Amino acid sequence: MVWRFFFVAKPLLNPNPNPKFPNPRSFSTSFLITKIPKKHKPKRPKPDSPRTRPVTPESNRIPHFESLLDRDATFRFLTKTKEYLSKQPEQVLLLDDAGKLHRELGFPRGRKVARSISRHPLLFTTYRHSDNKMWLGFTDMMDQLLLEEKSIMEDMEEDRVTKVRKLLMMSKDKRIPLSKIYHKRLIFGIPEDFRDRIKKYPDFFRLVVEDDGKQVLELVKWDPSLAVSALEREFLVNEDKVKKAFKFPVKYSKDLGLEENDVKKLNLLNTLPLVSPYSDGWKLDLWSLEAEKYRVGIIHEFLSLTLEKRALIHHIVEFKEEFSLTRQTYEMLKGQPRTFYLAGTEMNWAAFLKDGYDENGNLIDKDPQVVFNEKLFKFAQMQGEDLSSGLEEKFSRD
């Protein structure tokens, strides 16, 4: 009878006390939603890192400067695709190839390029060619806009030549690699074909090919009339404004017991005179006060030559050897809040020239290229029923 001991049925641990209702274990619960939908999940805070940490504290942030960087991000696909397509044969690109060029065309990696194209129906179009493949190209309206931009480039050629001359005059050896100017040409409004245009100005430029094949642009003739910075011109108009533009405080002992007015006068004596960016300031002792004044002047003049009186850090760093800049450029600009505003994140920040903008964040002097870009951005935002009004506006002006 031992075997009966081992095979006695064990009672249920939780017997159903009410026979009228079935055992809940007999039901499937697969139909129940056990996970919170992604759209209802709380967003995780972004990790605190130089990639996301604002370069300027919230309390000191100027919204209209920050919004300009947001605008650049919004239209990154437009600006990069416009530039890339313009250099392609027939200004078209196979759609399958475009989907692999997220870096060149400026759309998020992993996203479909068609999504970015659809955001600008007035400017970009896709069509099926006779080879039965889909292609990306410009609309007729965009073709007209590109002709308008080309006309602006022709009209502004003399101004762009002057900008390049001033950049060379500021550089240490009065020479800059041609590739550096080409890579950063858009912030100065320099045209795509400027490498061919410089051949028209042998009295200003000399193109030298070094042993390693690098092409370097050299200054042929120094022009004293161009060796005047924007800050020096402003000094002749508003001396008090320039005196307050920078601050190089004097280090002194508290035992002196100076009053506030005396401190201001002492700091002013330490600030002036400034060092011209067109001088041989690179010969100064690297960590001296005069050398810092020189580097501040270089950045100020560099920004004044740009179309929008601003530049990203990688625009500035591109010329660090030519302009004798140090790794402390960020700290140097941060210490001059009266003149410069830093926007963006600690890893990718931009320097703005405050005097170039009014109190509403609008450029005081707008270059024709800037006016064109603003019109292009306006058309880029038009969708649906706005398209007809956009076409009417464009062709009524023409």
Side-chain angles (χ1 to χ4, degrees):
M1 301 296 293
V2 178
W3 61 275
R4 295 180 63 185
F5 175 79
F6 291 100
F7 292 94
V8 174
K10 294 183 180 181
L12 292 173
L13 295 177
N14 295 312
N16 187 11
N18 192 342
K20 292 183 180 180
F21 298 97
N23 193 325
R25 291 188 177 187
S26 63
F27 288 98
S28 172
T29 60
S30 60
F31 68 92
L32 296 176
I33 298 177
T34 58
K35 293 184 178 180
I36 301 175
K38 187 176 181 180
K39 63 180 180 180
H40 295 310
K41 287 184 178 180
K43 293 184 179 180
R44 295 181 180 179
K46 294 182 179 180
D48 186 25
S49 69
R51 187 181 296 276
T52 59
R53 190 183 305 124
V55 70
T56 299
E58 181 71 32
S59 58
N60 299 329
R61 210 166 298 171
I62 302 178
H64 55 250
F65 286 138
E66 301 287 346
S67 65
L68 286 174
L69 296 188
D70 294 336
R71 186 198 68 178
D72 290 349
T74 300
F75 295 113
R76 182 174 293 117
F77 174 79
L78 167 63
T79 53
K80 299 199 75 170
T81 302
K82 166 179 163 289
E83 182 183 359
Y84 190 86
L85 265 185
S86 297
K87 295 184 286 188
Q88 300 304 308
E90 305 299 326
Q91 296 185 338
V92 294
L93 183 64
L94 194 64
L95 194 60
D96 289 341
D97 293 339
K100 304 172 186 177
L101 301 173
H102 66 92
R103 188 186 300 275
E104 292 81 356
L105 302 185
F107 64 94
R109 185 173 187 175
R111 299 278 184 88
K112 292 185 176 180
V113 67
R115 181 176 178 180
S116 296
I117 295 172
S118 64
R119 291 177 178 172
H120 312 300
L122 209 59
L123 307 178
F124 299 114
T125 184
T126 56
Y127 62 94
R128 191 174 297 278
H129 199 262
S130 57
D131 58 4
N132 205 32
K133 293 182 180 180
M134 294 298 294
W135 291 76
L136 164 65
F138 294 132
T139 62
D140 292 339
M141 181 179 180
M142 186 62 163
D143 287 334
Q144 293 297 319
L145 287 169
L146 291 176
L147 290 176
E148 181 181 339
E149 184 179 34
K150 184 177 180 181
S151 176
I152 293 174
M153 293 290 185
E154 296 292 340
D155 295 340
M156 300 301 294
E157 181 171 320
E158 184 177 348
D159 176 80
R160 305 319 189 222
V161 168
T162 300
K163 287 180 184 292
V164 175
R165 292 175 68 190
K166 289 175 77 71
L167 286 173
L168 290 171
M169 290 171 66
M170 282 197 296
S171 63
K172 178 181 176 181
D173 298 317
K174 311 302 177 279
R175 62 200 309 265
I176 299 176
L178 199 62
S179 60
K180 291 190 176 185
I181 300 176
Y182 178 79
H183 291 157
K184 306 307 173 188
R185 68 189 185 281
L186 294 181
I187 66 172
F188 301 107
I190 298 173
E192 163 74 24
D193 61 346
F194 91 99
R195 287 176 290 191
D196 297 325
R197 297 187 184 219
I198 58 177
K199 298 175 183 178
K200 296 163 52 178
Y201 303 95
D203 294 337
F204 299 155
F205 309 117
R206 180 188 303 112
L207 190 60
V208 178
V209 181
E210 298 186 336
D211 295 338
D212 58 358
K214 181 189 295 183
Q215 294 182 319
V216 179
L217 192 64
E218 292 185 348
L219 183 71
V220 172
K221 183 180 179 182
W222 179 273
D223 188 345
S225 65
L226 295 181
V228 181
S229 67
L231 203 60
E232 291 170 321
R233 290 194 300 270
E234 181 66 25
F235 187 82
L236 298 176
V237 178
N238 192 338
E239 183 177 338
D240 291 336
K241 182 179 178 180
V242 175
K243 287 180 178 179
K244 297 176 182 178
F246 301 106
K247 184 179 180 181
F248 298 97
V250 177
K251 296 181 181 180
Y252 61 90
S253 173
K254 293 183 180 180
D255 296 338
L256 293 177
L258 296 177
E259 295 183 358
E260 185 177 354
N261 289 335
D262 293 331
V263 173
K264 289 182 179 179
K265 292 179 181 179
L266 188 61
N267 288 337
L268 184 59
L269 290 173
N270 201 39
T271 300
L272 297 178
L274 297 173
V275 180
S276 172
Y278 297 101
S279 66
D280 291 334
W282 56 272
K283 296 180 179 179
L284 297 169
D285 182 15
L286 188 62
W287 304 114
S288 66
L289 177 62
E290 296 302 309
E292 184 175 352
K293 291 180 182 181
Y294 169 72
R295 290 191 292 269
V296 167
I298 284 282
I299 299 296
H300 188 283
E301 185 71 355
F302 180 87
L303 295 179
S304 71
L305 293 175
T306 62
L307 292 177
E308 297 189 58
K309 313 308 177 194
R310 64 185 176 102
L312 291 168
I313 174 59
H314 65 264
H315 294 150
I316 299 172
V317 171
E318 183 82 12
F319 301 93
K320 62 180 181 181
E321 290 88 2
E322 288 74 22
F323 297 153
S324 304
L325 301 177
T326 68
R327 292 185 178 181
Q328 281 67 36
T329 299
Y330 165 71
E331 294 295 337
M332 180 183 72
L333 296 180
K334 192 176 179 181
Q336 303 294 343
R338 298 174 181 176
T339 298
F340 304 111
Y341 177 79
L342 306 186
T345 64
E346 291 182 357
M347 181 170 287
N348 189 26
W349 50 270
F352 287 78
L353 202 57
K354 283 185 174 181
D355 289 344
Y357 294 80
D358 62 20
E359 57 184 8
N360 297 318
N362 299 313
L363 277 169
I364 296 174
D365 296 320
K366 287 189 178 181
D367 186 275
Q369 181 66 48
V370 174
V371 176
F372 171 83
N373 291 341
E374 291 178 347
K375 182 171 68 173
L376 185 65
F377 294 156
K378 181 181 178 180
F379 289 142
Q381 296 179 83
M382 292 184 177
Q383 296 284 335
E385 59 186 21
D386 294 333
L387 295 182
S388 58
S389 62
L391 289 170
E392 291 177 2
E393 179 182 352
K394 169 67 178 70
F395 293 110
S396 63
R397 292 181 178 179
D398 295 341

